[in-house]
Amino acid sequence: MDEKIDTLLKEGRVIQPTAKTKAAAHIQDYEQAYQASIADPEAFWGGVAKELDWFSPWNKVLDWNYPWAKWFVGATCNIAYNCLDRHANTWRRNKVAIIWVGENGEERIFTYGELLRQVNRCANALKALGLQKGDRVTIYLPKIPEQVVAMLACARIGVIHSVVYSGFSAPALASRIQDAEARVVITADVGYDRGKTINLKGVVDDAVRTCPSVEKVVVVRRESPGVALAAPKEIDWVEWLQAQSAVCQAEALDAETPLYILYTSGTTGKPKGVVHVHGGYMVGTYITTKYVFDLKEEDVYFCVADPGWVTGHSYIVYGPLLNGATILMAEGKPDYPNPGRWWDLIARYGVSIFYTTPTAVRLLMKYGEDWPKKYDLSTLRILGSVGEPINPEAWEWFYRVTGSDKPIMDTWWQTETGSILVTPLPSVPLKPGSATRPFLGIEADVVDKQGNSLPNNAGGFAVIKKPWPSMMRTIYKDPDRYKVYWNTIPNCYTAGDVCRKDNDGYMWFMGRADDVIKVAGNRIGTAEVESALVSHEAVAEAAVIGKPHRTAGEAIKAFVILKQGYQDSKELVQSLKDHVLKELGKIAVPQEIDIVPSLPKTRSGKIMRRVLKAKELGQDVGDISTIED
């Protein structure tokens, strides 16, 4: 891709932070703080690291041997110690760490002191099975507190966790267990989804048959009478922990000790095992959670992700606990038992920070504004969005229904980056649909194939020019696959996303590089056409692909989900085309529009355009282990 990508979306609104938001923000002058952090990134990251506890100090902040990085060289630490002991050794031991709400309304509450005791019991139980530093444990659990306990218990003793989202099929789970060569699998008998009971134990039984490395399967039994377990290989979670002491010293680990492997779907071939480590990942997730969400002692923080995804690792578990936050964790879907589910939780628990996805916002948009209006959302202070670029229309709706005074932190990052890289801070003026500017210490740019910076408003590749602490260290067992990220464009980390910078330096993400459509010599990012469609009053969600075309090279085809109350008709399809013509111009008008009931998505809410394209062209759809439906 050597030509520039055309940018068609014109979004002129700027929303200033309120005086109250600005006065409360940890960082009040972004420009000054950013320039200082870029002038000396090692001093900046070293300063952040000093806010955390280390067993022994580093002798060098960064050892950069392109494309391999080591951070906080020579230091020892433990991320679980910083998430738990650091707070339990103070007045925070009796502060609420986790409020958990089940799909059926069941509630469980853990203080920092109690969470530490549970984690210690689990860590001792893992040790009793003979697990040692560097061994791998696969965690295949629904969104229940045991998921967090198991992750932190592994981290505490230097065991590497590999959390697999509990919606994965047996073959997908088996491939991840096999790659990690996990010795133990921690699962549950069942999960609950929209009132249905999902048999997780059955999935694990199928998967483990082809996984010779697995010695034990630990089962959290939620149903009674409990599912039968085949001793000695299968163990009941409660009995497993019961005999264990609530005291377990956190291992002093080298800062570069692997913390977890998280498998992300490759567009082709087998999933990639992204490896993150204790030291740098701890520093990155800690400071981004603090500054981006302006976290304060009294906040109730609600992130709707699942710990099976990186958002759940970084912004349900590690980032908020490192900051001593109170986390609301809720099992279930946003529209079950009704579309007021999340708004009700926000009102009931006095949530002040709410981090969600554009997909979820568009789903809630589909049900209209009456639902959020029923609830008192006045405790909300900061909103967040993660996953894909949020269309300006969805942004505006989210902003409006929550009171039009709460800034939306539209965050851009990836499994591979570990923590948020491009994002507003609460004190920064916002533009609906833009992730604004790089986080402190992060040097981001938009470049061409050769790595040359592009002029403003020219679309190109989003890259990061310098290493950062929470970056992945490798792809598990596949270092060559890791090098591709740094070798695609010289001397840059290439994210695989296309982007443009406007005249204020704000970044506008336009979709994945492999989703760019070439129409009659123009290169168009899918996100812009989708945003134009979503801004039509009838549309809840849209996905766009390119199809081969005899004269134009490619033609645009759109798949559209309608809001409640609208019907498919020739007139409506024409109205959608006219709307795109008005918003973006003739070149971006879809040649075909299909009205569909649903779209293929990953379970973390990203639309899988390549699946739509493969089906449309009658090709093999490739690895779809992460698909929801």
Side-chain angles (χ1 to χ4, degrees):
M1 186 187 100
D2 25 42
E3 314 96 311
K4 75 177 180 60
I5 295 156
D6 297 86
T7 62
L8 307 166
L9 189 71
K10 303 286 180 272
E11 181 52 62
R13 290 164 289 191
V14 178
I15 290 165
Q16 298 292 339
T18 64
K20 190 175 163 194
T21 298
K22 201 158 180 174
H26 285 298
I27 299 292
Q28 297 191 349
D29 185 340
Y30 164 81
E31 205 54 58
Q32 188 188 359
Y34 181 71
Q35 294 308 338
S37 74
I38 289 302
D40 192 346
E42 291 186 35
F44 168 71
W45 292 115
V48 171
K50 284 182 182 141
E51 294 181 25
L52 296 158
D53 285 0
W54 301 77
F55 300 127
S56 60
W58 51 91
N59 47 45
K60 198 175 178 193
V61 173
L62 168 65
D63 177 8
W64 178 228
N65 183 9
Y66 183 89
W68 306 100
K70 288 180 182 161
W71 283 87
F72 310 109
V73 182
T76 58
C77 63
N78 186 303
I79 197 169
Y81 181 92
N82 276 278
C83 286
L84 298 171
D85 310 53
R86 201 161 64 91
H87 310 304
N89 293 339
T90 71
W91 67 269
R92 283 204 198 106
R93 78 174 65 88
N94 296 323
K95 180 178 175 176
V96 173
I98 294 172
I99 304 164
W100 176 82
V101 184
E103 188 180 82
N104 57 6
E106 180 195 353
E107 179 186 272
R108 291 163 69 190
I109 291 178
F110 293 77
T111 61
Y112 274 91
E114 178 53 24
L115 187 58
L116 173 61
R117 287 187 287 274
Q118 287 292 339
V119 167
N120 283 343
R121 286 193 182 98
C122 185
N124 284 327
L126 288 165
K127 287 205 277 198
L129 295 182
L131 287 161
Q132 293 172 343
K133 197 172 94 176
D135 283 336
R136 277 84 52 213
V137 168
T138 296
I139 300 170
Y140 182 75
L141 282 168
K143 199 167 165 187
I144 55 178
E146 285 79 3
Q147 201 180 25
V148 181
V149 170
M151 289 166 75
L152 291 165
C154 289
R156 193 162 187 84
I157 58 172
V159 164
I160 300 167
H161 62 69
S162 165
V163 181
V164 178
Y165 177 71
S166 64
F168 277 126
S169 64
L173 173 60
S175 74
R176 287 156 173 81
I177 296 172
Q178 288 160 0
D179 190 68
E181 296 176 81
R183 289 180 60 189
V184 173
V185 176
I186 300 177
T187 189
D189 50 0
V190 298
Y192 302 113
D193 187 23
R194 296 187 200 275
K196 293 198 296 284
T197 301
I198 314 294
N199 174 10
L200 300 180
K201 171 77 166 47
V203 175
V204 172
D205 291 346
D206 284 354
V208 168
R209 280 190 195 107
T210 58
C211 301
S213 65
V214 176
E215 298 159 20
K216 299 283 180 191
V217 176
V218 180
V219 185
V220 178
R221 291 199 266 197
R222 304 180 76 188
E223 303 268 82
S224 67
V227 59
L229 300 179
K233 185 168 184 173
E234 298 178 348
I235 310 169
D236 173 80
W237 168 275
V238 174
E239 290 167 18
W240 187 50
L241 296 199
Q242 234 159 19
Q244 300 299 335
S245 157
V247 179
C248 172
Q249 192 123 21
E251 289 284 327
L253 303 167
D254 184 274
E256 287 293 313
T257 303
L259 167 64
Y260 68 79
I261 303 167
L262 185 55
Y263 288 92
T264 172
S265 60
T267 32
T268 55
K270 65 179 190 143
K272 298 176 286 212
V274 170
V275 177
H276 283 293
V277 301
H278 277 254
Y281 177 78
M282 168 172 86
V283 171
T285 53
Y286 162 73
I287 200 63
T288 47
T289 307
K290 180 174 168 175
Y291 286 173
V292 175
F293 301 111
D294 191 37
L295 203 55
K296 302 284 198 287
E297 202 63 73
E298 61 279 9
D299 280 313
V300 176
Y301 169 96
F302 180 24
C303 169
V304 303
D306 186 290
W309 307 114
V310 75
T311 302
H313 280 58
S314 298
Y315 297 109
I316 291 179
V317 183
Y318 291 111
L321 290 175
L322 286 164
N323 279 280
T326 294
I327 301 152
L328 174 65
M329 205 178 152
E331 181 183 36
K333 296 286 193 290
D335 55 351
Y336 181 85
N338 61 53
R341 159 87 169 160
W342 284 352
W343 309 120
D344 174 49
L345 289 169
I346 289 165
R348 196 167 359 139
Y349 291 100
V351 169
S352 49
I353 301 168
F354 179 47
Y355 195 24
T356 184
T357 66
T359 311
V361 171
R362 292 190 296 258
L363 173 70
L364 295 171
M365 242 172 105
K366 189 169 91 173
Y367 295 111
E369 288 182 35
D370 290 345
W371 280 103
K373 276 185 187 145
K374 288 182 189 176
Y375 300 93
D376 175 7
L377 306 177
S378 62
T379 55
L380 282 174
R381 199 166 68 75
I382 303 274
L383 306 171
S385 169
V386 60
E388 299 192 297
I390 182 167
N391 329 73
E393 203 60 30
W395 195 107
E396 291 261 293
W397 185 87
F398 191 27
Y399 187 69
R400 190 171 64 248
V401 301
T402 50
S404 296
D405 59 348
K406 299 152 181 72
I408 301 174
M409 303 296 105
D410 177 6
T411 62
W412 176 87
W413 60 295
Q414 302 173 307
T415 304
E416 293 89 339
T417 74
S419 64
I420 294 165
L421 296 191
V422 180
T423 178
L425 297 178
S427 58
V428 167
L430 303 172
K431 300 185 184 186
S434 169
T436 72
R437 307 275 302 277
F439 186 73
L440 308 184
I442 302 296
E443 212 171 309
D445 200 5
V446 178
V447 301
D448 63 17
K449 230 357 196 252
Q450 285 68 48
N452 305 306
S453 293
L454 289 171
N456 291 345
N457 296 311
F461 290 104
V463 296
I464 308 297
K465 295 205 149 167
K466 297 268 166 60
W468 64 99
S470 67
M471 62 193 265
M472 65 168 166
R473 295 308 193 260
T474 189
I475 298 292
Y476 192 62
K477 295 181 180 167
D478 198 348
D480 288 342
R481 213 163 166 186
Y482 165 80
K483 287 181 198 162
V484 171
Y485 289 88
W486 288 94
N487 290 341
T488 303
I489 292 173
N491 295 308
C492 294
Y493 169 86
T494 305
D497 283 354
V498 290
C499 184
R500 70 177 167 95
K501 266 188 194 175
D502 67 17
N503 294 332
D504 297 323
Y506 279 46
M507 297 181 79
W508 296 79
F509 287 89
M510 299 155 66
R512 298 291 292 163
D514 28 13
D515 291 335
V516 170
I517 303 168
K518 191 169 180 179
V519 184
N522 301 275
R523 305 180 68 81
I524 299 167
T526 50
E528 298 200 309
V529 185
E530 290 164 2
S531 282
L533 286 162
V534 171
S535 69
H536 187 284
E537 61 182 13
V539 177
E541 188 136 43
V544 165
I545 61 166
K547 283 177 72 171
H549 186 276
R550 219 155 32 109
T551 53
E554 279 191 294
I556 297 172
K557 173 156 189 181
F559 300 83
V560 167
I561 299 175
L562 299 179
K563 285 182 186 162
Q564 285 186 329
Y566 289 91
Q567 299 297 308
D568 184 4
S569 68
K570 268 204 183 101
E571 294 73 32
L572 178 65
V573 168
Q574 190 53 51
S575 158
L576 293 175
K577 291 182 177 182
D578 295 344
H579 183 71
V580 176
L581 177 68
K582 183 171 117 295
E583 291 287 308
L584 299 181
K586 189 168 144 205
I587 194 70
V589 175
Q591 197 169 44
E592 294 174 67
I593 297 180
D594 282 3
I595 305 297
V596 295
S598 65
L599 291 167
K601 286 180 191 161
T602 66
R603 293 184 175 81
S604 56
K606 291 190 179 124
I607 296 168
M608 296 181 88
R609 293 169 191 80
R610 67 179 175 81
V611 172
L612 286 170
K613 191 163 184 168
K615 287 196 126 164
E616 188 69 23
L617 303 180
Q619 297 164 345
D620 174 36
V621 294
D623 170 31
I624 51 168
S625 60
T626 56
I627 205 163
E628 170 113 64
D629 195 359

